[in-house]
Amino acid sequence: MLSRLKGISLGNQILIGMVLGMIVGLILNFYVTDTFIKDIVLMNNVFYLGGNLFIKLMKMLVVPLVFFSIVVGVASISDVRTIGSIGGTTILIYLITTAIAVTIALEIGIIIQPGVGLNMGGITETANLTVNQTMTDTILNIIPDNPFSSLANGDMLPVIIFGLLIGIILAKLKEKAETFNKIFTEGNRIMMEMTSIVMKFAPIGVFCLMAKTFGSLGFDGIIPLTKYIICVLIGLAIQAFIVYPSLLVIFTRLNPIKFFKRFISVMFFAFSSSTSNATIPLNLDKLSEMGVSRDVSSFTIPLGATINMDGTAIMQGVAVMFAAQAYGIDLGTSALLTVIFTAVMASVGTAGVPSVGLVTLTMVFNSVGLPVQAIGIIFGIDHVLDMVRTAVNVTGDAICTIIVSFRNKAMDLDVFNGKKPPKEEEHIM
Ligand code: ASP
């Protein structure tokens, strides 16, 4: 049995765990009346333990993973400042497109209300029912009183700010702080490895979470989950086929259809691999084929794979609304602004590997006090959404790269328009 499982990819194992959990939960809900076996043994012990052990493992990862990767990410970004304005413009566009993405997702969540009807409040206890800080509190809370207690308490915004500052300083000090640079780089590697180990438990964790949820809710859980998937897909479609083409037209007047015709193969690869990082070589190649200078793309594409994840941010925005509605939590304006900021930072802070968006989702939830248990419900169906959002993530990287290279005259328009074949690189730096 186990050796057979080994042949199945982790994503599919999670999917199987989800479907089995759903079936077992529904069977328990409809056919099992024995409350001792059902409620005491299974629901409150076996499934509760299995599901929450997994959630605790995920939570354990968040603070060190985000902290190390923000430090390492920023330390390497600041290096490229020497490249000049290109670095600054690229980072700005990346941040803005991600902020647009979360905002769209939150709007969709508010309009379609995917979590309404799920009524999770009855299944897991909620800490506070209204999350409504004032704007000034939000701003003040970004600066840690004591960074170590923020790290210990998992207060994400101060942790992010502290990480950003250390990253900037490491980049500035360079070899004067080489040992620390190494420590953070290796710490980041260790946390990535730990993440992939924890993910191996995901199929069992997801099975337990789904069984518990559907055992309590029955069919009532299916409609909100379907609505959640639809919301994320709508958000991803808007970003890919409305926001990106509009940016391309506004900033470059290039034809988006010509772009998509060529770029579709990169999107398919990202879709099937679920990782922006692994898509970097293909993305670079395609952009050269479209006339973009490698001098720009070889810097902006790897940077984008790490700091620009618009598709991921869309999933996170919808997930926040889904969870808030499911738990009956009222998110005020400043909580929503916190979500936008944290989701943008989550996108900056982690590398483009499969499912990492779910880990950082914990941090987005924590930032506004949403119960992370809700992540368990969307975990099972996340594999497919991860595939689609990775395709959007890499498209965002490519569009920003085209805009930046166009504006820096590092793009051959005749090549883009198919009037001549791709030529030797012209060097602009
Ligand atoms: N798989 C995504 C990527 O590599 C990240 C995520 O959303 O989990 O871009």
Side-chain angles (χ1 to χ4, degrees):
M1 173 78 184
L2 269 180
S3 62
R4 260 198 220 157
L5 261 183
K6 274 192 183 143
I8 306 174
S9 73
L10 183 63
N12 287 339
Q13 287 182 29
I14 295 176
L15 208 65
I16 293 170
M18 177 196 98
V19 175
L20 286 181
M22 237 166 156
I23 294 172
V24 169
L26 290 174
I27 290 175
L28 284 177
N29 188 283
F30 287 107
Y31 299 110
V32 180
T33 42
D34 181 340
T35 46
F36 179 72
I37 304 245
K38 184 174 128 184
D39 293 329
I40 314 282
V41 178
L42 291 176
M43 297 292 225
N44 293 344
N45 282 289
V46 179
F47 297 152
Y48 177 81
L49 195 66
N52 281 283
L53 271 178
F54 177 61
I55 287 184
K56 288 208 78 166
L57 282 171
M58 291 264 294
K59 279 188 179 171
M60 171 187 82
L61 295 174
V62 179
V63 172
L65 177 74
V66 170
F67 182 62
F68 280 122
S69 50
I70 286 211
V71 172
V72 173
V74 174
S76 64
I77 294 167
S78 301
D79 250 5
V80 294
R81 269 203 208 137
T82 43
I83 300 175
S85 72
I86 291 182
T89 327
T90 309
I91 293 167
L92 192 71
I93 301 181
Y94 280 158
L95 296 183
I96 291 173
T97 50
T98 312
I100 295 175
V102 208
T103 313
I104 291 174
L106 291 175
E107 288 295 332
I108 294 174
I110 290 168
I111 297 167
I112 301 186
Q113 308 212 314
V116 169
L118 193 56
N119 207 1
M120 289 291 291
I123 301 175
T124 39
E125 68 291 349
T126 50
N128 44 345
L129 285 181
T130 308
V131 184
N132 210 345
Q133 288 181 335
T134 65
M135 196 61 196
T136 42
D137 282 345
T138 313
I139 295 169
L140 282 176
N141 288 342
I142 291 179
I143 312 289
D145 287 328
N146 172 352
F148 296 101
S149 75
S150 301
L151 281 163
N153 296 331
D155 299 335
M156 287 326 293
L157 293 187
V159 165
I160 290 168
I161 295 298
F162 191 56
L164 281 174
L165 289 174
I166 296 197
I168 293 168
I169 292 166
L170 281 184
K172 205 171 150 221
L173 292 180
K174 295 210 168 56
E175 55 288 343
K176 280 189 216 144
E178 217 178 277
T179 318
F180 263 88
N181 224 324
K182 252 190 163 169
I183 291 174
F184 280 109
T185 310
E186 285 172 15
N188 190 32
R189 229 171 268 151
I190 291 170
M191 289 318 299
M192 296 286 279
E193 183 62 29
M194 203 183 287
T195 307
S196 68
I197 293 171
V198 168
M199 284 300 166
K200 296 210 166 77
F201 292 100
I204 301 171
V206 165
F207 169 82
C208 293
L209 290 163
M210 293 307 265
K212 182 157 168 49
T213 306
F214 282 87
S216 318
L217 294 175
F219 276 112
D220 288 350
I222 292 183
I223 294 168
L225 204 57
T226 314
K227 273 205 212 160
Y228 165 80
I229 298 174
I230 293 172
C231 285
V232 176
L233 292 177
I234 293 176
L236 293 173
I238 293 178
Q239 185 78 6
F241 302 118
I242 298 179
V243 176
Y244 292 152
S246 310
L247 290 176
L248 198 65
V249 173
I250 293 169
F251 289 106
T252 68
R253 309 246 166 255
L254 292 173
N255 183 343
I257 296 174
K258 281 189 182 154
F259 167 79
F260 278 113
K261 262 192 186 159
R262 282 168 168 177
F263 197 72
I264 194 87
S265 56
V266 183
M267 291 174 85
F268 276 131
F269 182 82
F271 176 83
S272 50
S273 68
S274 302
T275 141
S276 318
N277 275 14
T279 315
I280 292 173
L282 195 64
N283 208 344
L284 286 172
D285 204 57
K286 255 306 158 222
L287 286 169
S288 296
E289 225 184 279
M290 288 191 230
V292 174
S293 163
R294 280 237 178 202
D295 285 342
V296 174
S297 63
S298 60
F299 146 61
T300 56
I301 291 296
L303 180 67
T306 315
I307 75 161
N308 186 43
M309 290 186 201
D310 302 344
T312 307
I314 286 173
M315 175 277 284
Q316 296 184 334
V318 175
V320 162
M321 293 317 296
F322 176 77
Q325 289 155 0
Y327 282 90
I329 295 174
D330 185 16
L331 292 176
T333 317
S334 59
L336 293 181
L337 289 176
T338 307
V339 168
I340 296 176
F341 179 77
T342 326
V344 173
M345 284 302 142
S347 150
V348 173
T350 41
V353 293
S355 298
V356 75
L358 274 182
V359 178
T360 52
L361 182 60
T362 322
M363 137 185 171
V364 180
F365 274 34
N366 281 341
S367 73
V368 287
L370 285 174
V372 284
Q373 273 77 8
I375 299 179
I377 308 177
I378 53 182
F379 218 106
I381 36 93
D382 191 68
H383 179 50
V384 185
L385 294 180
D386 190 15
M387 297 169 87
V388 188
R389 70 175 178 255
T390 308
V392 175
N393 288 346
V394 299
T395 311
D397 301 342
I399 292 282
C400 294
T401 298
I402 292 184
I403 294 174
V404 170
S405 50
F406 179 89
R407 297 185 73 79
N408 286 281
K409 308 208 175 358
M411 183 163 181
D412 192 328
L413 298 183
D414 285 342
V415 176
F416 183 89
N417 290 319
K419 289 187 189 147
K420 66 179 191 200
K423 58 170 188 162
E424 280 276 306
E425 289 293 305
E426 37 163 318
H427 294 274
I428 58 145
M429 282 175 278

